[in-house]
Each structure stands twice: as structure tokens, then as C-alpha cells.
Amino acid sequence: MEIRRLTTDELVTHSFPLRMYAFQPSPETADRTDQARRLAALHEDNRTLVVLDGDTSLATATAIPMRQNVRSAILPMAGVAGVASHPLSRRQGHVRRLLHQLLDEMRDEGHLVSALYPFRPSFYERFGYVGLPLSRTATFAPQDLGPLLRADLPGEVSWQRISAGYPRYREFTERCLHQRHGFSIFCGRWAERVRDMDERWLVTAEIDGATVGTLTYRIDDHAGDLVGDDLLAADPVARALLLRFLAGHAGQVSRIRVEVPADEFPELWGTDFAVTTEARVSQPDYAAPMARLLSLEALPGLPTGPGRVRIELADDRYLAGTHLLDGTSGHLEVGSAGAPAPTAVLTAAGLSALVYGVLDPVEVGLRGHGTIGPDAAAELRRIFPRQLPYMFSAF
């Protein structure tokens, strides 16, 4: 058996069949096979590995080059996707070997963090990943936004196919990347697939010529649903401009669905506004994202509170040793562990949970991701205050 990287031409024969069997209706039709061939070109910047036994593909996984905001630092991120195995080759360790090599290669290329959407979180927890919040889906009737049609709002909206408005959309998501903890975007051809597939409308909110909000969406049928992707708004006025546009679809669609961050509260968008806000997590179909650090090089310079703690990292392929975390200057320094300080023992998932701001130090211990005494917990709480990440990208 061997593990090797696939060329773009090999994806259709060695990777896509396993992925289609794992994640799509099967057996596949000729139409979907032809579509896979067209989509293969979009993977030219991605890294896809396969476990081969002769000419038979036993398992496959892809890493997508991305960038992510981690506490205001923009870091190279490896988005892991398309992890699938042959139905006769499961539970034989192929995926474990494959993921180790894939993350080894991405880390060697300079990717400091990684994220994925798991089929089962406990499986990836063993690889050092920790759960992040899932975006919420807000579902409502467009007529309930009627009062916004009479609102006097500054700015305006524009409407076009995503293929025509992609440059403006991309520029705004780049801006969000630099402003929002946890926000991630794709690089290269994979980023452009939303433009090339051209399956979405784009509405853009503008104030004084500057883009302040975007929403991509599709309409499934007359009297059906308007299905939106993430509603991105820089401020309440931008959000109101986008919602007013949606209000204009009363009489055309019955329901509107949009994705919103976990810290958004659609129930406060209006008076007498009926809305269902839902985050559904189940296995294997509805997954919340997970993320992890691949290198301690992600930490130096992060804005931090005035804490000081020694951490011992154990049982991980990439994060190991004893290190002093010092945030007394306001920016994190990672040094030798010689100076006196409270000590915490952390797994990779435990440190990742603290850096991403999703677990309190006490919760890290309760979840089995480390051993943290009260003094060390207080220091870690100052260094890594709770912060809600918003992943944005789905893959």
C-alpha cells in the first residue's frame, strides 16, 4: 500500500468515486460523473491524498488552502474535506494514516491551523480538533419584515448574479476576514467556484459607495423558499438594508431562510416578528465545525490579557514540550519554561479550545483535555478570554 498525492486528472478516478459514495446518492449517474470531471479543475490548488492498494483506492482526503482570523491574526489554514474510505476498507486505520500525512504536509507548507466539518466529532477529537459554534438558520415570512419597506435608511442595495458581482463580494469577505475572530475564506480556484458555478443571486448593501453587507441566495420555486447563505452585515443599518430587500419578496416566496452567526439575534429584528432560529447538530448529516492548532508559531503576537502560565503539551504529533505563555505585554510571547509560573497540562484539543475561545479552562479539564489547577486556570482565562468564533466558510 502507498499514500500519494493525486494529480487533477486522477481525482475523477481515484478520489471522487469514494467521496460520491460517502456523501451523495449512489450509484452515481452519468450526469454527475460528467459534473465531477468539470469540477476537478477547481481542485488544482488543493492537496488530495489517496491510500492505494495497487490500482484500488482505499481512502482519500483533501486539504484546501485557506486563511483564518484567530484573535485578529490572519493565519494560513488547512481546511480538511472529502475524507472518505472504500466500504470494504473501513476501520482498518487507513484514514488515520492518511490524515497524519495530509496534516504533516500542510504544516510543512506553513499552515498553522486546520479546520473541518466532522462526520463524528469524537473521531477528530483524537486528532486534536475541538468544536466551534455552528451558524444559526433564521426562518421567517417576508411579510413580517414589512415595516422596513417604510423605513428611511441611508444607502442602497444592488442586485445581480454572483458571477457579475463576485469582485465586490470577494472584497467584502476579505474585509470580514480581518475583522472577525474565526472567520475563514478560501484561496485560489476554490474561492472562485461560487463565481464559476454561478448558482446564486447576490444582493449588496452600500453606503456612501462602500460595501457594508452582502447576501447570496437562490429561490427554489414560486411560493416556495428563498434560501440565503450567510447574511453578512457590517452594522445594523447594513443588515436593515438587506432585510428590506428581502421584504420585497412578499407575494413571491412563502419563507426566507438565511444563515447568521451564533451571536446574532433574529428575534430582535422587529416587533411582532415571527422567526425560528435553529442550530441543528447530528451525526453524520449536520455537523458543527472543528479546528485545531498545527503549530505553536500561531501564538506569538496574539493580542492577550496580562496572564502568565507554563503549559505542558503531551500526546500530540505537532504540539509538544513545555512552554511559557506570557501576555503581560498585551501581546502573547511564547518562551522557555524556566521562569516560575503556574503549570497546566494540556492536550492539543485543550490548547486549541482556549486559543479559539470556545471553552473555559475549567471546561477544558472537565472534557478531559487537560489538567488545570485554579491558579493556572485564572492565568489562562486572562490570556485567552472567551471569544465567539464565526467560521463562515463551509466545505
Side-chain angles (χ1 to χ4, degrees):
M1 294 183 189
E2 65 169 333
I3 297 178
R4 69 174 177 87
R5 183 177 184 180
L6 297 178
T7 65
T8 301
D9 292 338
E10 292 175 313
L11 292 174
V12 175
T13 54
H14 286 81
S15 178
F16 285 1
L18 295 182
R19 295 172 62 162
M20 294 169 75
Y21 182 83
F23 303 115
Q24 298 181 22
S26 63
E28 64 271 15
T29 64
D31 287 344
R32 281 204 288 124
T33 301
D34 290 342
Q35 182 185 35
R37 292 192 180 95
R38 294 192 297 271
L39 292 176
L42 298 177
H43 286 261
E44 65 181 19
D45 299 317
N46 300 343
R47 179 179 297 267
T48 298
L49 301 185
V50 66
V51 179
L52 285 173
D53 184 2
D55 292 329
T56 301
S57 301
L58 303 183
T60 185
T62 294
I64 307 169
M66 302 177 68
R67 289 178 292 151
Q68 185 179 40
N69 181 319
V70 179
R71 295 187 181 268
S72 82
I74 310 303
L75 304 178
M77 181 184 108
V80 176
V83 180
S85 57
H86 192 286
L88 298 181
S89 302
R90 294 172 178 173
R91 300 182 182 275
Q92 297 178 25
H94 300 310
V95 169
R96 177 180 55 80
R97 293 172 51 227
L98 192 65
L99 284 175
H100 280 157
Q101 181 158 329
L102 185 65
L103 293 178
D104 285 350
E105 294 181 11
M106 296 303 286
R107 185 177 185 270
D108 290 344
E109 286 189 353
H111 294 84
L112 303 183
V113 295
S114 177
L116 51 78
Y117 288 83
F119 76 97
R120 189 171 69 248
S122 59
F123 177 83
Y124 288 100
E125 189 176 65
R126 297 196 291 269
F127 289 87
Y129 288 86
V130 68
L132 303 185
L134 183 65
S135 296
R136 273 54 176 158
T137 301
T139 304
F140 51 90
Q143 56 265 29
D144 284 353
L145 295 172
L148 283 174
L149 294 173
R150 301 183 295 274
D152 183 15
L153 299 174
E156 58 187 7
V157 298
S158 61
W159 172 74
Q160 55 200 148
R161 293 285 287 261
I162 183 62
S163 55
Y166 176 77
R168 183 178 298 175
Y169 171 79
R170 178 67 177 182
E171 184 276 331
F172 188 67
T173 56
E174 286 272 1
R175 197 187 322 160
C176 292
L177 172 69
H178 287 80
Q179 296 173 347
R180 185 74 187 246
H181 170 56
F183 204 90
S184 63
I185 61 174
F186 301 108
C187 305
R189 289 291 305 277
W190 199 249
E192 297 168 350
R193 77 191 193 286
V194 65
R195 178 199 65 191
D196 297 339
M197 296 175 71
D198 199 20
E199 296 175 344
R200 294 289 192 273
W201 294 107
L202 171 68
V203 56
T204 304
E206 303 170 40
I207 297 178
D208 295 329
T211 301
V212 293
T214 64
L215 175 67
T216 56
Y217 70 94
R218 62 179 174 83
I219 296 175
D220 66 5
D221 203 352
H222 179 72
D225 290 354
L226 185 155
V227 182
D229 301 306
D230 291 66
L231 192 151
L232 299 176
D235 54 42
V237 174
R239 183 182 64 214
L241 285 168
L242 295 175
L243 293 177
R244 185 172 65 179
F245 172 83
L246 296 177
H249 290 76
Q252 179 182 353
V253 299
S254 299
R255 297 190 308 174
I256 293 175
R257 302 203 309 266
V258 295
E259 301 298 311
V260 296
D263 61 353
E264 182 65 84
F265 305 104
E267 64 271 21
L268 303 180
W269 286 352
T271 304
D272 295 332
F273 180 62
V275 61
T276 299
T277 305
E278 180 182 39
R280 179 182 175 187
V281 177
S282 62
Q283 284 77 51
D285 48 351
Y286 293 95
M290 303 182 79
R292 64 154 294 161
L293 299 182
L294 286 178
S295 172
L296 289 177
E297 293 179 13
L299 300 183
L302 293 183
T304 184
R308 199 163 180 271
V309 67
R310 181 188 297 110
I311 60 171
E312 295 180 10
L313 300 170
D315 301 325
D316 187 66
R317 193 179 182 91
Y318 310 110
L319 308 179
T322 303
H323 310 272
L324 181 69
L325 304 184
D326 190 341
T328 53
S329 70
H331 289 85
L332 189 59
E333 298 177 13
V334 181
S336 63
T343 300
V345 179
L346 297 171
T347 65
L351 179 59
S352 298
L354 294 170
V355 172
Y356 278 94
V358 293
L359 295 181
D360 181 84
V362 171
E363 294 174 295
V364 169
L366 292 174
R367 295 278 292 274
H369 298 321
T371 303
I372 306 172
D375 292 341
E379 297 299 314
L380 285 168
R381 205 171 283 120
R382 282 191 282 268
I383 293 172
F384 301 117
R386 291 292 291 268
Q387 196 168 354
L388 196 65
Y390 172 33
M391 182 79 165
F392 175 64
S393 296
F395 48 91

